[in-house]
Amino acid sequence: MRERDPNKEQIIRHNAIEMIVKDGFDGLSMQKLAKKSNVSPATIYIYFKDRNDLIEQLAIDSANALVAHTFKGFSPDMTFAQGMKIQWQNRADFFIAHPIQAKFMEQVKHSPVGVLVHQKIKKEFSIVMRDFILKAIKNKELIKLPIEIFWSLAFAPLYQLIKFHNDGYGLHHEPFVLTKAILNRTLKITLKGLKP
Amino acid sequence: MHIHVFKTNISTLEKRNAVQSLLNSHHAIIKWNIDKWDDDNILRIEALHENSNEFIHCIGEAGFDIQLLED
């Protein structure tokens, strides 16, 4: 019987994400992945049913890791400002510590796999966020907005700063580091814009 | 549960349909799938035993090319 080796599986997962980030989903083949991971193609199929299963597992696991990290120390019962501060810091910490995973998740978001990921994490993520947002609206800490506008105002600035940091340069190609001070200043302005 | 991985020539929907009832009715096969994205048309079988030759024999007898992929 073929034995599962957690170390081998981790190497395969890591390499698959790197290959997708570098060459896109179409650039991932089980043969190329096997060669890069120094295993036989058959070994990959011990851990994954097929190529689609591999991509889906990677996407769902990445999303779950992000959700778990985002909610560290967070409660939907917090004030809007407190909760957003924790979420901003947690999300920044996650994507700065895992820049390849950040790019992978961006690719997933804009692919058919993104729909599946959304369905799988919906319960853990969307429901908690919904409670947080509704409470903030009720307490007059947050303007009531369509979700896309809310998300664009509440998180897009953070994600752009993370992207600048991970790229190593800002808008004019000068070196950029996302410091706590920059993050807090941007959050302060963001919260101001969202307040009734 | 034992996993068996084979390279095959089951490359078309027609061939997959032809092999489907054979695999679905095999007493030792728990689950099977073919990786449609792979050039080698990888057949993956989750089985009750570790004897790959049994599957090679029955799928080969049905007229398909099949080759065990080793670890």
Side-chain angles (χ1 to χ4, degrees), chain A residues 57 70 137 189:
Chain A
Q57 280 198 42
T70 297
I137 293 169
I189 296 166

Side-chain angles (χ1 to χ4, degrees), chain A residues 65-133:
Chain A
L66 172 61
V67 169
H69 201 88
T70 297
F71 287 157
K72 264 191 198 170
F74 171 83
S75 163
D77 297 326
M78 285 175 163
T79 66
F80 187 62
Q82 281 172 336
M84 284 294 285
K85 185 170 184 176
I86 286 179
Q87 285 220 21
W88 269 46
Q89 192 60 61
N90 286 346
R91 287 167 194 252
D93 289 346
F94 182 86
F95 284 121
I96 287 170
H98 305 102
I100 304 285
Q101 207 156 1
K103 290 183 181 176
F104 170 66
M105 292 177 76
E106 190 61 25
Q107 283 169 282
V108 166
K109 198 162 67 169
H110 299 290
S111 78
V113 178
V115 175
L116 176 74
V117 168
H118 178 73
Q119 285 166 353
K120 292 278 183 185
I121 68 163
K122 194 174 175 178
K123 194 174 176 185
E124 292 78 20
F125 184 73
S126 303
I127 289 173
V128 172
M129 286 304 290
R130 181 201 63 194
D131 290 347
F132 176 60
I133 291 167

Side-chain angles (χ1 to χ4, degrees), chain B residues 1-4 23-33 44-49 55:
Chain B
M1 192 264 287
H2 302 266
I3 295 173
H4 306 259
L23 295 173
N24 284 346
S25 61
H26 195 292
H27 67 279
I29 294 177
I30 304 167
K31 272 189 217 175
W32 63 274
N33 67 279
R44 180 183 186 269
I45 292 176
E46 290 180 24
L48 295 171
H49 61 62
F55 305 122

Side-chain angles (χ1 to χ4, degrees), chain A residues 95-179:
Chain A
F95 284 121
I96 287 170
H98 305 102
I100 304 285
Q101 207 156 1
K103 290 183 181 176
F104 170 66
M105 292 177 76
E106 190 61 25
Q107 283 169 282
V108 166
K109 198 162 67 169
H110 299 290
S111 78
V113 178
V115 175
L116 176 74
V117 168
H118 178 73
Q119 285 166 353
K120 292 278 183 185
I121 68 163
K122 194 174 175 178
K123 194 174 176 185
E124 292 78 20
F125 184 73
S126 303
I127 289 173
V128 172
M129 286 304 290
R130 181 201 63 194
D131 290 347
F132 176 60
I133 291 167
L134 289 178
K135 182 178 151 288
I137 293 169
K138 187 183 172 195
N139 292 343
K140 295 183 172 33
E141 296 167 302
L142 171 64
I143 313 169
K144 189 176 178 183
L145 292 165
I147 189 67
E148 287 78 14
I149 297 178
F150 166 74
W151 210 260
S152 300
L153 294 172
F155 291 108
L158 169 66
Y159 284 120
Q160 184 57 63
L161 289 172
I162 291 170
K163 191 171 185 314
F164 285 146
H165 177 96
N166 283 345
D167 286 344
Y169 54 84
L171 213 52
H172 299 290
H173 280 259
E174 287 176 8
F176 178 85
V177 173
L178 178 54
T179 62

